[in-house]
């Protein structure tokens, strides 16, 4: 389940019309959602407030295995409708298999249709969080420069580390057909360039994408390269959604291939194989996610004047729970159940090593509430 601040960031992207799925860093997003989920550890409580549509504070408390927490604040340039934990759409809160359709940016006025001037009405997000104990601080600033261009700046400062704050900057350019990203991190002087190109038209049933990443460390005078290819069905396809990805990093000799398919409306399955060319080490991971939906609701309406009883059946299906499971040779077993109970959201998870005499590694519960 997304952290409240992470969920607000994704809602900001969606409201401004930015498509995260069209970035090379999200080339394998479908398989990562099923195989690389993070289970809660210990007991965690997240409470968030919605005092205004633009300002949102959040408080986190972790009671087990150690006592720690954080205080965070988020501000957006325009109203960001989130909803409370009782009314929010649960399927938007969980990292799951989904086919993303880019929502068009509203650029119309009362008289004519013109492009939005981001210099006059900018879209930006400002976020900060402090962790206790230790007073470690993290911050983020996202701003849309134009319809196709935005930049993102993140910073982390730890007073106990006695080092300069770590700053990362990204400049992203997306025109739909292709997307490019330039990045720089201050701690190791790493320069990076990413690009993703989509073949075919969005109205076709399937689409091939190819991308690459080049990075160079200014301080240690070393570089790297990775490339990847992806095929996945599009929303207009009548066949079952599938996705195949293959990535290769020739410098470190790592390759990975994954396959995701939606078997039924409730079940999605995934497999991934990682292999090292130089050491011959490999790993096989298998996983699935199963969705539980609400049942039909019958509402009764009685007319006080005539006494006529009207029954209304709500057949709208909404996601109420998500069960995830993953097994891999290297990481072992992981299980997680995410759901909604009355006005709260919860996550239950555990990790285990079936080859060990004490198989249970971690177990945890996370509860979120915002109003």
């Amino acid at each position: 389940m997304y952290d409240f601040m992470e969920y607000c960031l994704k809602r900001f992207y969606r409201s401004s019309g930015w498509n995260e799925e069209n970035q090379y860093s999200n080339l394998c997003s479908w398989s990562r959602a099923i195989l690389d989920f993070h289970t809660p550890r210990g007991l965690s409580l997240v409470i968030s407030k919605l005092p205004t549509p633009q300002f949102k504070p959040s408080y986190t408390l972790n009671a087990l295995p150690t006592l720690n927490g954080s205080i965070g604040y988020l501000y957006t340039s325009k109203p960001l409708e989130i909803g409370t934990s009782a009314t929010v759409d649960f399927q938007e809160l969980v990292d799951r298999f989904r086919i993303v359709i880019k929502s068009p940016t509203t650029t119309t006025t009362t008289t004519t249709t013109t492009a939005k001037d981001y210099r006059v009405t900018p879209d930006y997000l400002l976020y900060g969080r402090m962790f206790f104990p230790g007073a470690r601080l993290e911050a983020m600033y996202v701003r849309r420069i134009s319809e196709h261009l935005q930049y993102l700046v993140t910073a982390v400062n730890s007073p106990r580390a006695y080092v300069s704050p770590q700053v990362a900057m990204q400049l992203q350019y997306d025109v739909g057909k292709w997307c490019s990203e330039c990045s720089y991190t201050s701690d190791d002087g790493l320069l990076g360039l990413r690009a993703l190109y989509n073949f075919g038209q969005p109205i076709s049933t399937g689409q091939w994408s190819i991308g690459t990443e080049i990075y160079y460390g200014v301080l240690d005078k070393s570089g790297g390269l990775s490339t990847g290819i992806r095929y996945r069905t599009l929303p207009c396809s009548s066949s079952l959604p599938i996705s195949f990805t293959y990535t290769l990093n020739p410098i470190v000799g790592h390759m990975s291939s994954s396959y995701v398919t939606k078997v039924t409306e409730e079940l999605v399955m995934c497999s991934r194989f990682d292999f090292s060319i130089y050491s011959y080490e490999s790993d096989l991971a298998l996983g699935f996610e199963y969705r539980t939906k609400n049942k039909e609701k019958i509402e009764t309406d009685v007319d006080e004047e005539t006494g006529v009883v009207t029954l209304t059946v709500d057949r709208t299906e909404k996601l109420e729970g998500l069960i995830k499971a993953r097994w891999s040779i290297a990481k072992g077993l992981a299980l997680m159940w995410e759901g909604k109970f009355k006005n709260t959201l919860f996550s239950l998870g555990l990790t285990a090593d079936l080859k060990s005499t004490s198989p249970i590694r971690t177990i945890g519960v996370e509860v979120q509430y915002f109003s």
Side-chain angles (χ1 to χ4, degrees), residues 9-10 12-13 18 20 23 25 123-125 127 139-145 149-155 167-173 181-185 194:
L9 176 63
K10 292 185 177 296
F12 171 77
Y13 284 150
W18 189 261
E20 288 183 280
Q23 300 172 196
S25 55
D123 288 345
Y124 65 85
L125 178 146
Y127 151 81
M140 175 186 294
Y141 179 67
V142 184
R143 187 184 180 99
R144 289 288 294 275
I145 303 175
L149 189 65
Q150 79 169 11
Y151 68 85
L152 185 149
V153 180
T154 58
V167 181
M169 296 173 285
Q170 294 184 35
L171 181 65
Q172 302 169 339
Y173 183 74
E181 305 171 70
C182 300
S183 62
Y184 174 77
T185 56
R194 296 171 177 168

Side-chain angles (χ1 to χ4, degrees), residues 170-203:
Q170 294 184 35
L171 181 65
Q172 302 169 339
Y173 183 74
D174 184 9
V175 295
K177 187 70 173 180
W178 58 274
C179 176
S180 61
E181 305 171 70
C182 300
S183 62
Y184 174 77
T185 56
S186 63
D187 55 336
D188 52 3
L190 189 66
L191 291 168
L193 178 63
R194 296 171 177 168
L196 180 70
Y197 183 83
N198 301 308
F199 296 92
Q201 299 296 327
I203 58 175

Side-chain angles (χ1 to χ4, degrees), residues 188-245:
D188 52 3
L190 189 66
L191 291 168
L193 178 63
R194 296 171 177 168
L196 180 70
Y197 183 83
N198 301 308
F199 296 92
Q201 299 296 327
I203 58 175
S204 59
T205 58
Q207 187 175 64
W208 286 92
S209 303
I210 186 171
T212 186
E213 177 186 29
I214 303 173
Y215 49 92
Y216 178 76
V218 178
L219 300 182
D220 55 8
K221 302 297 187 298
S222 64
L225 168 70
S226 71
T227 185
I229 189 171
R230 176 186 67 193
Y231 172 81
R232 64 179 178 181
T233 53
L234 296 178
C236 55
S237 174
S238 59
S239 60
L240 292 176
I242 63 169
S243 173
F244 168 78
T245 60

Side-chain angles (χ1 to χ4, degrees), residues 12-19 78 102-105 144 147:
F12 171 77
Y13 284 150
R14 178 168 297 185
S15 64
S16 61
W18 189 261
N19 184 13
K78 62 180 183 180
K102 182 180 178 180
S103 57
T105 306
R144 289 288 294 275
E147 182 182 356

Side-chain angles (χ1 to χ4, degrees), residues 111-175:
T111 56
T112 60
T113 302
T114 59
K116 179 178 179 179
D117 189 351
Y118 287 89
R119 294 174 296 179
V120 179
T121 56
D123 288 345
Y124 65 85
L125 178 146
L126 185 62
Y127 151 81
R129 176 183 289 182
M130 179 172 287
F131 296 85
F132 300 99
R136 184 172 69 91
L137 179 66
E138 68 177 24
M140 175 186 294
Y141 179 67
V142 184
R143 187 184 180 99
R144 289 288 294 275
I145 303 175
S146 66
E147 182 182 356
H148 304 294
L149 189 65
Q150 79 169 11
Y151 68 85
L152 185 149
V153 180
T154 58
V156 178
N157 182 35
S158 181
R160 294 185 178 182
Y162 300 104
V163 294
S164 301
Q166 301 175 5
V167 181
M169 296 173 285
Q170 294 184 35
L171 181 65
Q172 302 169 339
Y173 183 74
D174 184 9
V175 295

Side-chain angles (χ1 to χ4, degrees), residues 190-331:
L190 189 66
L191 291 168
L193 178 63
R194 296 171 177 168
L196 180 70
Y197 183 83
N198 301 308
F199 296 92
Q201 299 296 327
I203 58 175
S204 59
T205 58
Q207 187 175 64
W208 286 92
S209 303
I210 186 171
T212 186
E213 177 186 29
I214 303 173
Y215 49 92
Y216 178 76
V218 178
L219 300 182
D220 55 8
K221 302 297 187 298
S222 64
L225 168 70
S226 71
T227 185
I229 189 171
R230 176 186 67 193
Y231 172 81
R232 64 179 178 181
T233 53
L234 296 178
C236 55
S237 174
S238 59
S239 60
L240 292 176
I242 63 169
S243 173
F244 168 78
T245 60
Y246 175 80
T247 59
L248 172 65
N249 190 322
I251 305 298
V252 299
H254 177 264
M255 64 173 62
S256 176
S257 61
S258 66
Y259 179 77
V260 184
T261 180
K262 186 177 182 181
V263 181
T264 65
E265 287 297 325
E266 295 80 18
L267 181 63
V268 180
M269 305 187 71
C270 176
S271 63
R272 184 176 62 198
F273 181 72
D274 296 274
F275 182 74
S276 176
I277 302 174
Y278 302 136
S279 65
Y280 299 107
E281 294 181 353
S282 62
D283 181 38
L284 176 64
L286 305 172
F288 71 88
E289 68 175 28
Y290 182 80
R291 310 175 185 185
T292 60
K293 300 181 180 181
N294 63 335
K295 299 180 180 180
E296 295 182 353
K297 295 182 180 180
I298 301 178
E299 298 180 356
T300 304
D301 184 21
V302 181
D303 192 330
E304 296 181 355
E305 296 182 358
T306 62
V308 176
V309 180
T310 304
L311 300 179
T312 304
V313 180
D314 184 6
R315 300 182 182 274
T316 304
E317 291 188 349
K318 293 183 178 179
L319 187 66
E320 285 191 340
L322 190 68
I323 300 174
K324 289 187 177 184
R326 179 203 67 221
W327 174 86
S328 70
I329 299 174
K331 297 181 180 180

